[in-house]
Amino acid sequence: MLPSNGCHPEINVLFIGGYILKTLEQQESINIELLFKKGSHELKVSTDHMILALDWLYVISAINYKKNEITLNEVK
């Protein structure tokens, strides 16, 4: 369910998570610091919002995090 009241789509965890997944589809992996810079510039969101989206993607096993690199989780 997507939250619709009181939340701007630009700062919604699902919206930011989609941006992260799209970015990872275009390249094999991305450095977390580069992702923060790119996300804050392109989406104009805070690092806190990026972290929340990354946490959510990690919890649902959509991404992996190892040695400051974020990768898409393999679909089995």
Side-chain angles (χ1 to χ4, degrees), residues 8-59:
H8 297 283
E10 304 84 28
I11 60 169
N12 186 303
V13 171
L14 301 176
F15 180 83
I16 299 167
Y19 167 81
I20 293 169
L21 293 176
K22 185 177 177 182
T23 301
L24 287 171
E25 283 180 344
Q26 296 171 353
Q27 53 196 69
E28 191 172 310
S29 68
I30 189 167
N31 181 285
I32 193 164
E33 293 172 9
L34 177 61
L35 180 64
F36 286 155
K37 288 179 186 177
K38 189 174 178 181
S40 64
H41 175 47
E42 291 181 15
L43 296 178
K44 296 183 180 31
V45 296
S46 70
T47 302
D48 291 341
H49 286 100
M50 293 291 290
I51 290 171
L52 286 173
L54 287 167
D55 285 345
W56 171 67
L57 290 171
Y58 186 79
V59 165

